[in-house]
Amino acid sequence: MQATGKVLVTGASRGLGKAIALELAARGYHVIAGVRDVGSGEAMLAEAAGTIELQQLDMAALGDYKPPADLFMLINNAGYRGPYLPVEEAGMDEWQRTFATNFFGLIDLTRRVIPGMRQAGAGVICNIGSLGAYTPMPFYSIYRSSKVAVSALSEALRIELAPFGIRVLEIPIGGVDTDMFKSSIAHRPPEAIAFEAYRPMAEQHVENSRSFHASAISAEEAARNVVEQLLLAGPLRRACDPNAQAGIAYLEQSTEKERLTAMMGRFRVTPA
């Protein structure tokens, strides 16, 4: 695909978003790196082998932000994940904070870019999701729910925008070595361990998550895989890392009942 038009990458100051922005710039695209703090993204400019333009963009508060009229590609990468808590211990402010960035902000930005792409008769919208959206796990409800919502939105957009030449894809992340991954259960006990009633399950969570650490890939490798998928026609959901590849294969080969039963077995619980 010819590198024409502009590309907007959200959450581009670090991690996977930064790596995707640098990879696209190296391939000749004019990249707009959306960052909450422009100062935090300035170091990226020195690394870029191409054109990167920093723009202040807070997904939880877009204000009057107007995307470029000639935007060709949107990569919704920005995300927030808070503490791993039991539902009864998680305050509504945490739910609202998570959905404000991961879902409502994503919707708002996406709806702002659609008219330009529709008028141009072409475009790509990529939602960076999470394998966790398809994995029933305790203490993961807030983040997972936001990513399930993104998945449902991706499915609808895939159909709605197809007549206008706009491709929609979702890339669920399973294991990419970023700051978010380093603060995940794969590296530390969930906050739920502080609550006595949930401590045994939280301790089991640590044991169950160890394998994800070993198979994580670098943000740079994942970014190359993501960009390759952006340039190709294909299914809605694409994997860019080994954990996601295995997870998507498992989804295709199992039923919802089988997955729930298997996860309950991993936590040594039986249905009430």
Side-chain angles (χ1 to χ4, degrees), residues 1 72-76 106-107 110-111 113-115 117-118 121-129 134 149-172 226 229-239:
M1 183 181 293
F72 173 65
M73 195 180 297
L74 169 64
I75 296 92
N76 282 313
L106 182 149
I107 291 175
T110 300
R111 62 187 292 273
V113 308
I114 289 174
M117 290 184 177
R118 179 166 47 78
V124 178
I125 296 174
C126 174
N127 294 327
I128 302 297
Y134 314 102
V150 170
S151 182
L153 175 68
S154 301
E155 291 174 346
L157 286 174
R158 175 84 165 184
I159 301 170
E160 286 184 17
L161 302 182
F164 311 118
I166 303 172
R167 288 195 294 112
V168 177
L169 60 152
E170 175 194 349
I171 298 184
V226 168
Q229 294 302 322
L230 290 172
L231 306 180
L232 296 173
L236 171 65
R237 293 187 181 93
R238 330 278 183 90

Side-chain angles (χ1 to χ4, degrees), residues 83-95 139 141-142 191-199:
Y84 297 92
L85 293 168
V87 170
E88 69 169 301
E89 300 294 347
M92 289 309 299
D93 57 337
E94 192 61 41
W95 285 88
F139 318 132
S141 296
I142 302 176
E191 286 81 359
I193 204 166
F195 302 94
E196 184 176 357
Y198 294 99
R199 188 168 299 135

Side-chain angles (χ1 to χ4, degrees), residues 89-110:
E89 300 294 347
M92 289 309 299
D93 57 337
E94 192 61 41
W95 285 88
Q96 291 162 354
R97 180 180 180 185
T98 302
F99 271 76
T101 295
N102 295 1
F103 187 55
F104 294 120
L106 182 149
I107 291 175
D108 196 4
L109 180 59
T110 300

Side-chain angles (χ1 to χ4, degrees), residues 20-39:
I20 292 173
L22 290 171
E23 181 68 22
L24 285 166
R27 297 192 185 211
Y29 287 92
H30 180 127
V31 177
I32 299 169
V35 296
R36 283 191 299 173
D37 176 14
V38 172

